[in-house]
Amino acid sequence: MPKSIDALSYYAATATPFAAQPALAGEVTADVCVIGAGYTGLSAALALAEAGYKVVVLEANTVGFGASGRNGGQVCTGFSSGQAKIEAQLGKDGARKCFALAEESKVLLKERIAKHAIDCDLTWGYIHAIPKAHQFDELKAWKDEYGALGYTDTSILTKAELEAKLGSRAYHGGLREGGAGHLHPLNYCLGLARAAIAAGAAIHENSPVLSVETGAAPSARTAQGSVRAKFMVIGGNAYLGQTVPALANRIMPVASYIIATEPLGQNRARSLIRDNEAVANTKFIVDYFRLTKDTRMLFGGRASYSTLEPPNLGAYMRPRMLKVFPQLRDVKIDYAWGGYIAITYNRIPDCGRLGASTYYAHGYSGQGVALAGLYGKLMAEAIRGQAERFDLLARIKHLPFPGGPVRTPMLVAAMMYFRLRDALS
Ligand SMILES: Cc1cc2nc3c(=O)[nH]c(=O)nc-3n(C[C@H](O)[C@H](O)[C@H](O)COP(=O)(O)OP(=O)(O)OC[C@H]3O[C@@H](n4cnc5c(N)ncnc54)[C@H](O)[C@@H]3O)c2cc1C
């Protein structure tokens, strides 16, 4: 029986048609073998195929099956960690460069959507809403930090200003960004895949990689075939499991869940989010929500480190939505699904090399819609001989998560701590 986390999502139900791609059969050679057809793998595949490389992508399920086809669709600014943790490792100048790269990730997303005519409802405007009045000063500090980094398309919203925009009394103010927004994540992913295929890449769906060799001539083996290549890109993120043991403890898969209501009609939908922005609260365990093109409220949140899945995701998430929008009490939930986010200890994405010619990037810590495309492109750049920008990010050090039997209990305990911290702060 499929897990309810994999239940039909609003995105799968409204996906643009995409031709099934054949499974890998037999021995194949390529310049680059890419594992995973999410944003990371497809972005690298697209950039390399456009540069004339022979690229073969191996996907265990279907294009966008992982986080890229099931996320909140929020196009975010910067890194989940904030700047201070990056500055502590790379210094002021290095951290500034990283922020500039994160800004570039949004430009890249926008340019690719325009260049490849990807129909994915891209909309700009994003509000960070504060659940506690005393957080107002943090908003000001946040705005100042962005301003000092050259990102000035932001404004502070008082409680009254926020309530004029949001049909909710749950928040005490917010930071609005013009340079962040939202999109239909699966259609964006399918659009990247279509563009990569048009540029000459081969994508093999239903081709789980069982093992990889990361030596001078990397290779990947599936049940029915193998790919030998000059380079390898690993983009399996939270879904990679133990396929590449060296990567397994560098990230932790965390479940996040989303519901989509029935269509509300323009008037009712806009009474909830007047200007159709994406919204997220500023808690550690984030609630994120937005309207869809067909006027549904799409509401995501909760995070679970435990492998136990709630038996009914809709019933589990609904009270969370009603806390913000009690006026939706009469509304039907049409879709409920979830997915696995890969987090790192410090919430900064982790990237690097395994051997000389195998590259990996993962652990966007809930902020990969824009960033994963950038990391994919930077891996392609490094393969093409320009590794400076990739190496800046790869210099960031990461602590591994514990392995073995203590792994899950320790993370469940950590999650309980953060829930308590959110409740008390
Ligand atoms: C519920 C949810 C909500 C989120 N909301 C947001 C948001 O609003 N904004 C934001 O910026 N980020 C969000 N994220 C995070 C974002 O979706 C991810 O950071 C991003 O999609 C990562 O892309 P990826 O290509 O690295 O990984 P994925 O999209 O997970 O792709 C990995 C792919 O690799 C394949 N794979 C794994 N192992 C193998 C193997 N052995 N062989 C072959 N293929 C393999 C998988 O099947 C999968 O298709 C959310 C994530 C989830 C789950």
Side-chain angles (χ1 to χ4, degrees), residues 59-407:
E59 165 53 50
N61 295 284
T62 49
V63 169
F65 175 85
S68 300
R70 43 176 86 229
N71 62 63
Q74 308 219 348
V75 181
C76 306
T77 298
F79 296 86
S80 195
S81 57
Q83 283 294 105
K85 284 184 184 168
I86 302 178
E87 200 173 313
Q89 291 214 35
L90 299 182
K92 228 181 174 55
D93 188 47
R96 273 192 90 84
K97 286 183 178 149
C98 289
F99 188 80
L101 286 172
E103 282 295 278
E104 183 180 324
S105 75
K106 296 183 291 180
V107 175
L108 175 68
L109 173 139
K110 192 172 157 185
E111 283 177 355
R112 279 177 164 167
I113 288 171
K115 179 176 175 189
H116 303 291
I118 302 175
D119 189 2
C120 61
D121 314 336
L122 178 62
T123 306
W124 294 102
Y126 194 114
I127 297 172
H128 304 271
I130 47 169
K132 304 277 159 97
H134 70 78
Q135 291 173 307
F136 209 78
D137 288 345
E138 289 170 32
L139 290 182
K140 289 189 188 138
W142 203 353
K143 180 175 166 46
D144 289 348
E145 181 181 60
Y146 276 165
L149 289 162
Y151 176 44
T152 53
D153 191 0
T154 58
S155 53
I156 303 253
L157 303 172
T158 61
K159 184 169 171 59
E161 285 165 342
L162 183 67
E163 284 178 4
K165 278 172 151 297
L166 274 193
S168 172
R169 315 202 68 179
Y171 303 111
H172 291 264
L175 180 73
R176 184 187 185 276
E177 294 187 50
H182 60 95
L183 48 59
H184 187 305
L186 179 57
N187 282 343
Y188 168 52
C189 190
L190 293 172
L192 288 179
R194 227 175 267 116
I197 292 168
I203 299 180
H204 296 287
E205 295 182 310
N206 299 306
S207 303
V209 172
L210 304 174
S211 63
V212 298
E213 290 292 332
T214 59
S219 65
R221 192 174 57 75
T222 70
Q224 263 98 42
S226 65
V227 180
R228 291 196 164 280
K230 295 185 189 117
F231 298 95
M232 184 178 294
V233 169
I234 301 176
N237 209 32
Y239 288 78
L240 193 62
Q242 297 294 323
T243 311
V244 184
L247 296 182
N249 287 349
R250 300 188 69 86
I251 52 121
M252 170 57 65
V254 175
S256 182
Y257 308 116
I258 303 181
I259 49 177
T261 65
E262 61 184 315
L264 303 171
Q266 277 300 345
N267 288 346
R268 193 168 186 192
R270 292 307 182 99
S271 75
L272 303 172
I273 307 180
R274 189 187 69 193
D275 301 322
N276 196 21
E277 286 123 332
V279 187
N281 70 15
T282 54
K283 290 190 172 193
F284 183 86
I285 300 167
V286 184
D287 280 337
Y288 47 91
F289 50 92
R290 64 187 183 87
L291 300 172
T292 61
K293 191 179 175 185
D294 61 355
T295 73
R296 298 166 193 275
M297 171 57 66
L298 190 143
F299 196 100
R302 302 217 87 134
S304 166
Y305 288 96
S306 107
T307 47
L308 291 176
E309 197 184 292
N312 181 333
L313 290 186
Y316 182 69
M317 286 300 296
R318 189 183 171 84
R320 194 109 183 169
M321 177 181 77
L322 293 183
K323 229 171 151 180
V324 180
F325 296 114
Q327 62 272 49
L328 291 182
R329 195 159 288 114
D330 63 320
V331 161
K332 224 171 91 234
I333 306 296
D334 277 353
Y335 301 96
W337 71 97
Y340 294 104
I341 292 172
I343 61 154
T344 61
Y345 235 105
N346 57 15
R347 305 290 187 273
I348 308 170
D350 173 36
C351 66
R353 295 177 183 78
L354 299 175
S357 43
T358 296
Y359 293 77
Y360 72 88
H362 59 181
Y364 309 103
S365 303
Q367 263 187 232
V369 169
L371 285 177
L374 173 87
Y375 278 75
K377 183 184 160 192
L378 295 184
M379 287 190 280
E381 236 176 62
I383 286 170
R384 296 182 66 198
Q386 292 291 324
E388 197 186 325
R389 292 165 10 122
F390 178 79
D391 283 341
L392 173 73
L393 295 166
R395 261 172 48 207
I396 296 171
K397 293 191 179 56
H398 293 269
L399 283 175
F401 285 95
V406 296
R407 183 175 166 95

